[in-house]
């Protein structure tokens, strides 16, 4: 059985974006080549990626073109190749199709479809998007958090989870610091539903 891993860049106050759409491009993020190589190594080991519509469309807009853009550093072209060729699931109520080997899941039974996907997957499925991660957490299907915490306090903006007000117990799996001040914390969520 697979595991759902919510992977996100966050500020010290657990914000994922200060203004809508700055995820991945916010001035508060400190993503250098070393950190990007860490992202690439981890993304390359995923069994697949499950993304909500907003983050999927952000990725879809940039990464397929980036893999062939010789003006970009090789680490970014490499991630473009990883994202474009990885098995992906788009969770959306408004889109019925997507390119780049992407399966679309939507409708009132989306969480049940995702539970079935998790049950039939061997490996880790990376989750992108606060709304999707919150829905998986509510359903007891979110297994792990991988947080890259950037040394910034945003004070406002979108939180790591949407409309969440209950305690969640975590176990630290691994941690690492990067020279530019970013820390990585990988947690297991206690009480995740084993299906």
């Amino acid at each position: 059985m697979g595991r759902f891993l919510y992977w996100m860049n966050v500020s010290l106050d657990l914000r994922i974006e200060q203004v809508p759409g700055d995820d991945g491009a916010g001035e508060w993020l400190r993503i250098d080549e070393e950190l990007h190589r860490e992202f690439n190594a981890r993304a390359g080991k995923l069994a697949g990626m499950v993304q909500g519509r907003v983050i999927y469309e952000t990725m879809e807009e940039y990464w397929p073109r980036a893999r062939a853009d010789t003006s970009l550093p090789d680490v970014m072209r490499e991630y473009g190749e990883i994202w474009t060729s990885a098995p992906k699931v788009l969770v959306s109520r408004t889109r019925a199709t997507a390119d780049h080997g992407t399966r679309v899941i939507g409708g009132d039974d989306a969480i049940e479809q995702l539970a079935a996907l998790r049950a039939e997957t061997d490996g880790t499925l990376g989750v992108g998007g606060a709304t999707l991660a919150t829905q998986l957490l509510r359903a007891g299907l979110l297994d792990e958090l991988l947080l890259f915490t950037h040394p910034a306090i945003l004070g406002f903006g979108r939180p790591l989870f949407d409309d969440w007000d209950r305690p969640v117990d975590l176990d630290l799996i691994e941690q690492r610091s990067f020279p530019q001040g970013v820390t990585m914390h990988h947690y297991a969520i206690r009480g995740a539903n084993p299906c």
Side-chain angles (χ1 to χ4, degrees), residues 43-51 56 81-90 99-103 117 121 124-126:
K45 293 177 185 174
L46 293 173
M49 300 177 186
V50 180
Q51 299 174 330
Y56 179 87
E81 184 60 40
I82 291 167
W83 186 87
T84 305
S85 61
K88 289 175 289 302
V89 173
L90 164 60
D99 293 327
H100 314 294
T102 304
R103 172 181 166 191
L117 173 69
T121 298
T124 300
L125 295 161

Side-chain angles (χ1 to χ4, degrees), residues 32-43:
D32 65 2
E33 183 175 334
E34 180 181 359
L35 185 57
H36 216 302
R37 289 206 185 281
E38 180 73 16
F39 293 169
N40 292 5
R42 288 178 180 274

Side-chain angles (χ1 to χ4, degrees), residues 3-155:
R3 297 180 64 76
F4 281 129
L5 167 79
Y6 181 28
W7 171 348
M8 194 58 71
N9 288 301
V10 297
S11 64
L12 285 170
D13 54 347
L14 296 179
R15 303 293 176 180
I16 62 173
E17 59 183 18
Q18 193 169 39
V19 295
D22 83 354
D23 54 307
E27 292 179 10
W28 57 276
L29 294 170
R30 296 188 186 179
I31 302 173
D32 65 2
E33 183 175 334
E34 180 181 359
L35 185 57
H36 216 302
R37 289 206 185 281
E38 180 73 16
F39 293 169
N40 292 5
R42 288 178 180 274
K45 293 177 185 174
L46 293 173
M49 300 177 186
V50 180
Q51 299 174 330
R53 184 190 55 80
V54 172
I55 199 158
Y56 179 87
E57 288 179 351
T58 300
M59 304 293 268
E60 172 187 48
E61 175 69 24
Y62 184 77
W63 291 112
R65 288 182 291 132
R67 66 183 175 163
D69 185 344
T70 57
S71 70
L72 293 174
D74 68 326
V75 68
M76 292 183 72
R77 290 194 312 271
E78 178 184 24
Y79 188 83
E81 184 60 40
I82 291 167
W83 186 87
T84 305
S85 61
K88 289 175 289 302
V89 173
L90 164 60
V91 182
S92 174
R93 291 184 178 274
T94 58
R95 283 186 60 169
T97 63
D99 293 327
H100 314 294
T102 304
R103 172 181 166 191
V104 180
I105 287 178
D108 293 337
D109 66 342
I111 291 298
E112 290 80 9
Q113 292 179 63
L114 290 170
L117 173 69
R118 179 177 171 249
E120 67 192 28
T121 298
D122 183 22
T124 300
L125 295 161
V127 173
T131 300
L132 175 59
T134 303
Q135 292 169 347
L136 290 170
L137 185 61
R138 275 200 181 95
L141 296 173
L142 192 61
D143 300 288
E144 299 175 15
L145 298 177
L146 180 61
L147 305 179
F148 289 88
T149 306
H150 296 254
I153 297 172
L154 300 185

Side-chain angles (χ1 to χ4, degrees), residues 142-189:
L142 192 61
D143 300 288
E144 299 175 15
L145 298 177
L146 180 61
L147 305 179
F148 289 88
T149 306
H150 296 254
I153 297 172
L154 300 185
F156 63 91
R158 188 161 192 192
L160 180 63
F161 291 102
D162 289 337
D163 192 31
W164 186 263
D165 61 358
R166 292 183 293 178
V168 177
D169 290 326
L170 307 171
D171 291 314
L172 184 64
I173 298 172
E174 63 177 319
Q175 62 186 355
R176 179 176 171 195
S177 296
F178 295 86
Q180 73 279 30
V182 175
T183 57
M184 180 272 293
H185 292 89
H186 184 183
Y187 298 100
I189 297 174

